[in-house]
């Protein structure tokens, strides 16, 4: 059975404890590899390595840093299919999705920041007759990156790439539920000639490895993506040390569909935005609000199409949905379907597990589920489910739908469907979220700010926002005479 290793100081190491955890293939419900059960002792080694590597890496000319990073991206691209299969095996997602979304986007994340750093300029402020200020943007030093299981390599690189490009050395922790492509990334980094200690990837549980990263005073900044309660735990520990924090947290995104929308486009995109990656994308819409004049037409067409979506093993090229990431997560999602029924909801389609045959009989499959008839403020409509479950609710006015859309503690993303330009602007302006798509979903421009408001997070990733996060500005004033 394959044994993943930590990548510390350019070496592939067993955990100091000697302990390993099981890594489960969710499409079969079977253990298929072992991952290091690392502890603070491994983080200590990684931090020492990163501190030693920092002077040389941060002083390396940008174009040399950039060239190494581009090489890393090229090597992943050359192994695209292998990476996609590994991601899918680890996570349960259809291979086609990993091939078209996860891995290509991981490659473009690395290329984007490897080249963005070449265009990253500092400001100067001239004071007439007095002198000039110039602002240096210096790398922070050793930084921590902690990522979740839903888009494993994609979100891992979204943090690591800007951190490295800006000249920092990184201690990175992938989710213990999906560690495989992070391990493969470490192999690629070694092959690309990334200097030892610049990137250290330590595997293990959040309460051990993640906690050790959060508590280590030598790690000066933490970029975290994951659940809101984990974000709160990290913030509580890190705040008294005045660490820089970027927190990308949970969501409960509204999809607002007005009667004047392009019906066909709204329908097909809403199916994707509800159920892509088994609904396990932080940007998926989970509350669908449809204007009353088209409510029944939209609902019926949506239910009909979704009930035909094929749930299958990840290698099946026709699979629209694969397996959920783990048994506990499947149980959590099922418990929300039960709650929705208790709260008076009607399951229009889905609602139950799918049992495949043969080797996939033990996999964690769930039919895509649409629920109607719930109050906007019930728990099902307020709490994050993070699975293939959406609710559908009619509305009559713009004011009403904005009130319902904005009623949760979250504010990550929203979609608005209308052909009325003024309304599109008005509603986008009034929605409490960090990201709004009008007549689209998941369109991604790496230069734009990415992140949420309220309990969906603090700070922004993407573009120069990420490079700003991973650098400290220092202002220098020089008097004229
Ligand atoms: P999680 O919070 O359980 O885990 C995320 C990471 O944090 C993992 O690597 C985990 O090991 C680590 N961790 C756990 N406990 C920790 C601790 N005490 N200290 C430090 N690290 C710890 O989240 P998850 O279940 O892996 O991911 C799902 C969540 O992520 C959902 O809430 C989803 O909305 C959110 N998410 C948000 C975004 C975004 O951009 N806002 C993107 C993807 C996922």
């Amino acid at each position: 059975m394959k044994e993943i290793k930590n990548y510390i100081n350019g070496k592939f190491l067993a955990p100091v404890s000697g302990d390993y955890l099981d890594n489960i293939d969710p499409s079969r419900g079977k253990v298929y590899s072992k991952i290091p059960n690392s502890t603070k002792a491994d983080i200590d080694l990684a931090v020492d390595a990163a501190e030693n590597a920092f002077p040389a890496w941060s002083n390396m000319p940008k174009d040399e840093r950039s060239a190494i990073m581009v090489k890393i991206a090229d090597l992943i691209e050359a192994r695209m299919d292998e990476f996609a299969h590994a991601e899918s095996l680890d996570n349960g997602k259809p291979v086609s999705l990993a091939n078209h979304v996860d891995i290509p986007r991981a490659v473009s994340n690395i290329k984007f920041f490897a080249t963005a750093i070449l265009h990253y300029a500092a400001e100067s402020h001239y004071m007439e007759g007095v002198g000039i200020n110039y602002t240096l943007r210096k790398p922070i030093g050793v930084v921590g990156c902690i990522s979740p299981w839903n888009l494993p390599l994609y979100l891992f690189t979204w943090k690591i790439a800007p951190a490295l490009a800006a000249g920092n050395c990184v201690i990175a922790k992938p989710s213990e539920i999906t560690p495989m492509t992070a391990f493969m990334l470490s192999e690629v980094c070694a092959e690309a000639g990334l200097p030892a200690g610049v990137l250290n990837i330590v595997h293990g549980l959040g309460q051990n490895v993640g906690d050790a990263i959060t508590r280590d005073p030598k790690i000066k900044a933490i970029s975290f993506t994951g659940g809101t309660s984990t974000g709160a735990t990290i913030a509580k520990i890190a705040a008294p040390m005045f660490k820089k924090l970027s927190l990308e947290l949970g969501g409960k995104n509204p999809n607002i569909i007005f009667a004047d929308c392009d019906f066909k486009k709204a329908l097909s995109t809403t199916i994707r935005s509800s159920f892509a990656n088994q609904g396990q994308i932080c940007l998926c819409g989970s509350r669908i609000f449809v204007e009353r004049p088209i409510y029944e037409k939209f609902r019926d067409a949506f239910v009909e199409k979704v009930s035909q979506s094929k749930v299958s093993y990840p290698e099946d090229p026709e699979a629209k949905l694969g397996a959920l990431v783990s048994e506990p997560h499947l149980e959590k999602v099922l418990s929300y379907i039960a709650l929705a029924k208790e709260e008076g909801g009607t399951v229009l389609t889905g609602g139950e597990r799918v049992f495949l045959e043969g080797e996939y009989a033990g996999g964690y499959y769930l039919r895509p589920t649409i629920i109607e008839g719930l109050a906007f403020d019930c728990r099902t409509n307020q709490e994050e489910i993070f699975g293939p479950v959406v609710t559908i609710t009619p509305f009559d006015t713009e004011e009403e739908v904005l009130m319902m859309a904005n009623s949760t503690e979250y504010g990550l993303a929203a979609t608005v469907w209308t052909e009325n330009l003024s309304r599109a602007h008005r509603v986008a302006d009034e929605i409490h979220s960090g990201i709004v798509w009008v007549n689209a979903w998941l369109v991604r421009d790496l230069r734009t700010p990415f992140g949420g408001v309220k309990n969906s997070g603090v700070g922004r990733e993407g573009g120069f926002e990420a490079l700003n996060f991973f650098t400290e500005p220092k202002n220098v004033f020089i008097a004229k005479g």
Side-chain angles (χ1 to χ4, degrees):
M1 191 170 288
K2 185 162 184 164
E3 225 173 58
I4 286 173
K5 298 282 183 221
N6 287 332
Y7 176 60
I8 298 175
N9 205 18
K11 298 194 184 72
F12 294 90
L13 301 180
V16 173
S17 67
D19 284 349
Y20 284 82
L21 303 162
D22 288 340
N23 186 22
I24 294 170
D25 159 10
S27 72
R28 295 178 179 82
K30 291 214 166 97
V31 177
Y32 85 101
S33 82
K34 295 279 175 191
I35 84 160
N37 188 5
S38 308
T39 56
K40 181 178 177 304
D42 303 278
I43 291 296
D44 289 346
L45 291 176
V47 171
D48 283 350
E51 280 201 315
N52 289 336
F54 179 68
W57 180 248
S58 56
N59 286 319
M60 185 184 279
K62 286 180 183 50
D63 51 348
E64 289 177 29
R65 280 209 302 267
S66 171
I68 295 173
M69 290 182 65
V70 169
K71 188 157 179 207
I72 293 171
D74 287 343
L75 288 171
I76 297 174
E77 206 162 15
R79 290 168 64 183
M80 180 74 77
D81 211 42
E82 197 189 328
F83 266 90
H85 277 87
E87 198 71 297
S88 152
L89 184 63
D90 225 15
N91 175 280
K93 67 180 71 202
V95 175
S96 56
L97 185 71
N99 238 321
H100 286 103
V101 178
D102 292 73
I103 311 303
R105 286 187 172 196
V107 169
S108 45
N109 285 342
I110 300 173
K111 284 195 176 155
F112 176 83
F113 286 109
T115 49
I117 196 67
L118 304 176
H119 306 269
Y120 186 51
E123 293 173 329
S124 72
H125 300 88
Y126 178 63
M127 298 171 77
E128 291 78 1
V130 181
I132 187 163
N133 295 277
Y134 61 87
T135 309
L136 295 170
R137 281 259 165 203
K138 312 266 285 178
I140 296 170
V142 180
V143 300
C145 297
I146 303 175
S147 60
W149 50 257
N150 63 325
L151 301 164
L153 190 67
Y154 174 177
L155 294 178
F156 201 52
T157 52
W158 187 229
K159 302 180 173 308
I160 290 171
L164 293 177
N168 300 285
C169 290
V170 176
I171 315 294
K173 182 204 151 347
S175 170
E176 61 274 28
I177 301 169
T178 52
M180 192 56 81
T181 48
F183 173 63
M184 291 167 70
L185 172 68
S186 54
E187 293 175 329
V188 162
C189 289
E191 193 184 337
L194 186 73
V198 168
L199 172 63
N200 304 276
I201 300 178
V202 184
H203 296 271
L205 299 172
Q207 65 264 32
N208 300 333
V209 179
D211 183 72
I213 291 174
T214 309
R215 290 183 194 277
D216 195 309
K218 293 178 181 161
I219 298 176
K220 299 293 179 198
I222 296 175
S223 175
F224 168 81
T225 299
T228 294
S229 65
T230 314
T233 303
I234 291 173
K236 257 184 238 155
I237 297 166
M241 286 181 266
F242 307 106
K243 292 190 186 205
K244 261 184 128 174
L245 283 182
S246 168
L247 304 173
E248 299 291 341
L249 310 175
K252 189 73 182 172
N253 307 315
N255 281 9
I256 303 178
I257 300 169
F258 286 97
D260 69 352
C261 68
D262 175 334
F263 189 88
K264 248 174 97 178
K265 209 169 147 201
L267 179 64
S268 61
T269 309
T270 302
I271 293 170
R272 267 194 324 118
S273 68
S274 302
F275 301 115
N277 205 37
Q278 299 71 247
Q280 301 165 140
I281 300 180
C282 54
L283 304 165
C284 278
S286 54
R287 295 175 297 145
I288 300 168
F289 299 106
V290 187
E291 204 175 8
R292 185 106 38 202
I294 61 159
Y295 179 75
E296 284 175 11
K297 182 179 167 203
F298 185 91
R299 178 198 61 194
D300 295 348
F302 185 48
V303 168
E304 192 197 330
K305 290 238 184 259
V306 169
S307 60
Q308 291 161 6
S309 290
K310 187 169 184 192
V311 179
S312 190
Y313 58 96
E315 300 276 340
D316 181 348
E318 283 169 16
K320 290 279 182 253
L321 288 90
L324 270 67
V325 76
S326 68
E327 194 166 20
H329 191 58
L330 173 69
E331 293 302 331
K332 177 190 150 181
V333 176
L334 283 168
S335 78
Y336 271 103
I337 295 172
L339 174 70
K341 289 181 192 159
E342 275 169 36
E343 290 184 318
T346 305
V347 174
L348 301 177
T349 183
E352 76 271 348
R353 270 187 87 159
V354 177
F355 293 96
L356 301 182
E357 292 184 347
E359 61 181 305
Y360 298 102
Y364 314 130
Y365 301 91
L366 182 64
R367 237 173 250 305
T369 302
I370 303 171
I371 302 170
E372 183 187 47
L374 288 169
F376 77 90
D377 56 355
C378 69
R379 280 184 56 205
T380 309
N381 267 329
Q382 293 291 314
E383 297 175 15
E384 185 181 46
I385 301 174
F386 212 55
V389 178
V390 297
T391 64
I392 186 162
T393 309
F395 69 89
D396 292 301
T397 64
E398 226 172 275
E399 294 69 31
E400 182 195 14
V401 76
L402 278 167
M403 180 278 291
M404 294 194 288
N406 289 337
S407 66
T408 73
E409 67 183 34
Y410 297 107
L412 187 56
T415 60
V416 181
W417 292 92
T418 177
E419 294 294 297
N420 178 330
L421 183 62
S422 308
R423 173 150 60 202
H425 280 298
R426 206 164 48 234
V427 173
D429 193 37
E430 293 294 328
I431 287 180
H432 301 163
S433 71
I435 300 160
V436 180
W437 280 289
V438 177
N439 300 333
W441 179 68
L442 211 62
V443 176
R444 185 166 176 257
D445 181 329
L446 302 189
R447 297 167 300 179
T448 60
F450 179 95
V453 299
K454 302 196 276 185
N455 291 6
S456 288
V458 179
R460 291 293 180 274
E461 298 188 304
F464 291 139
E465 299 269 354
L467 293 176
N468 285 347
F469 174 76
F470 282 115
T471 53
E472 281 289 9
K474 178 195 277 185
N475 194 67
V476 180
F477 171 77
I478 300 193
K480 191 169 180 187

